[in-house]
Amino acid sequence: MFATPATPDQHTMTWRHWAAVIICMLLNALDGFDVLSISFAAPAISNDWQLAPSVLGWLLSMELIGMGAGSVLLGGVADKLGRKQTILGCLLAMTAGMYGASLAADMQTLLAWRLVAGFGIGGMLASINALTSEVSNARWRSLSMALMVLGYPLGGVVGGLAISPLMATGNWRDIFFYGAVASAILLPIVIALVPDTRRAVAAQAATSNARVTDIFRKGLLGTTVILALAYVGHITSFYFVLKWVPKLVVDMGFTPQAAGGVLTITNVGAVIGCLAFGVVAARSSVKTVTQLTMLGTAAMIILFGQGHTTLGQLQMVVVAAGFFINSAVTGMYTLFATEFPPHLRATGTGFCIGIGRGGA
């Protein structure tokens, strides 16, 4: 049996709990693949449709707008109806958004489907962050959160290896089609193995007369504001690197396939960073480690902006940037899960993610 969110710190982690954590990691991998799919596809789309840089910026940002709305609106839904139900709805939106993008005949249609996919991703993030925390105990929570966050760059690495051959032919539509297939495959897995925490969360909310606006009440307002501001600053840097690396590589005279390789190796650094954070934070202060990795991120962003003449130089910088950026993201997600009370965990997480990704 699963422990309820009311007693998350004392229960023994069984294979069922770890299975839920791994599923959350896979769901986050979908997020990583989905978001990065447009970065992989952007050079080919730009070439096919002769897009101006300003229009390309909208294409790269559209799912972030959807994420912002989805995180804010669906975080509260996850606290009211349950994590599992919200995850399933978000998976359906992501599947539809990716499949629709694969069939888009013009820019307007592609933007609309990217908005739908982003909306699903936003609600997914708030839900899996809360769920991962709730199925974990105090001893393993930092590692569990690190594994969940690790899914994002893992999705980028696996997706990059699978997509690179497609980019050699410029077949960007297949990228979105495969993303839709992966999302659909996870639907029955979630139904079968993800715990339903609806009654436990509803009981806590009823006991405390909780409302969505409680994250802005005295006692939580400062936490909400600080976490939201920290996340928007950090995630803006995160997307600055991930969204523009492929285009910069192509502008340097390399092929789109080489651009996909650079983005893939960026995520290798990110995977290592997530694991390192989980190990270190389990033996230290999550807040302190998060602060240090944010400082490392700032240093790498400055170095990234200095300009690089060779592909090797750029690869070294983006690997280091991926390491620090994703370590800090792991820290932020852990803080979301621990600083907000259980009945407002998805709401608070969704608000911070929505503000952050919308701002990005």
Side-chain angles (χ1 to χ4, degrees):
M1 295 293 291
F2 284 101
T4 68
T7 58
D9 293 331
Q10 294 80 31
H11 70 270
T12 299
M13 292 284 288
T14 67
W15 72 268
R16 291 180 178 273
H17 297 96
W18 286 115
V21 171
I22 297 302
I23 291 171
C24 287
M25 181 184 74
L26 294 175
L27 291 169
N28 205 23
L30 281 182
D31 173 22
F33 177 86
D34 189 81
V35 172
L36 291 178
S37 64
I38 197 65
S39 296
F40 284 120
I45 296 173
S46 180
N47 183 62
D48 283 356
W49 291 349
Q50 298 298 303
L51 300 180
S54 58
V55 178
L56 185 61
W58 275 106
L59 181 60
L60 291 172
S61 301
M62 186 53 64
E63 87 273 3
L64 296 178
I65 297 173
M67 282 181 206
S71 295
V72 172
L73 296 176
L74 297 181
V77 172
D79 279 332
K80 295 291 185 182
L81 300 183
R83 308 349 179 172
K84 182 174 183 176
Q85 291 74 17
T86 307
I87 288 171
L88 289 172
C90 291
L91 269 176
L92 288 173
M94 291 169 64
T95 301
M98 293 292 277
Y99 184 69
S102 73
L103 301 177
D106 53 56
M107 183 64 175
Q108 290 73 24
T109 304
L110 181 58
L111 290 177
W113 283 118
R114 292 304 296 158
L115 189 68
V116 172
F119 189 81
I121 293 171
M124 177 75 73
L125 290 172
S127 301
I128 63 176
N129 195 66
L131 180 64
T132 302
S133 176
E134 289 163 1
V135 300
S136 304
N137 58 25
R139 179 184 179 186
W140 297 108
R141 182 166 293 115
S142 292
L143 179 59
S144 295
M145 298 303 295
L147 288 173
M148 186 274 291
V149 176
L150 181 147
Y152 187 100
L154 190 63
V157 171
V158 175
L161 294 174
I163 286 170
S164 289
L166 296 177
M167 298 317 300
T169 63
N171 193 359
W172 57 267
R173 295 182 183 277
D174 282 351
I175 296 175
F176 298 116
F177 176 76
Y178 291 145
V181 171
S183 299
I185 288 173
L186 277 174
L187 278 165
I189 296 175
V190 170
I191 292 173
L193 296 176
V194 168
D196 186 352
T197 60
R198 174 174 51 187
R199 280 181 290 183
V201 172
Q204 290 183 22
T207 300
S208 59
N209 296 315
R211 292 178 294 182
V212 171
T213 54
D214 284 353
I215 62 172
F216 304 111
R217 286 177 170 264
K218 185 178 180 180
L220 272 182
L221 176 61
T223 297
T224 302
V225 171
I226 290 171
L227 289 177
L229 290 177
Y231 189 72
V232 71
H234 184 74
I235 212 68
T236 298
S237 300
F238 178 91
Y239 282 115
F240 171 73
V241 174
L242 291 184
K243 292 290 185 179
W244 287 102
V245 160
K247 189 66 168 64
L248 291 174
V249 173
V250 172
D251 288 347
M252 289 171 66
F254 296 97
T255 65
Q257 193 170 7
V262 173
L263 197 56
T264 299
I265 200 171
T266 303
N267 284 286
V268 171
V271 168
I272 297 171
C274 290
L275 292 174
F277 185 95
V279 172
V280 174
R283 296 168 171 79
S284 183
S285 165
V286 172
K287 291 181 182 179
T288 300
V289 180
T290 303
Q291 290 167 341
L292 291 175
T293 53
M294 282 185 163
L295 290 174
T297 298
M300 290 303 103
I301 294 295
I302 292 172
L303 188 58
F304 177 76
Q306 299 306 303
H308 305 280
T309 58
T310 69
L311 191 61
Q313 289 178 344
L314 183 61
Q315 286 176 328
M316 291 177 62
V317 173
V318 297
V319 167
F323 177 92
F324 285 107
I325 288 173
N326 282 272
S327 293
V329 169
T330 304
M332 291 299 303
Y333 274 64
T334 304
L335 291 174
F336 293 157
T338 56
E339 297 301 314
F340 291 108
H343 61 283
L344 293 171
R345 186 171 285 139
T347 301
T349 299
F351 176 79
C352 292
I353 291 174
I355 294 297
R357 296 210 178 189

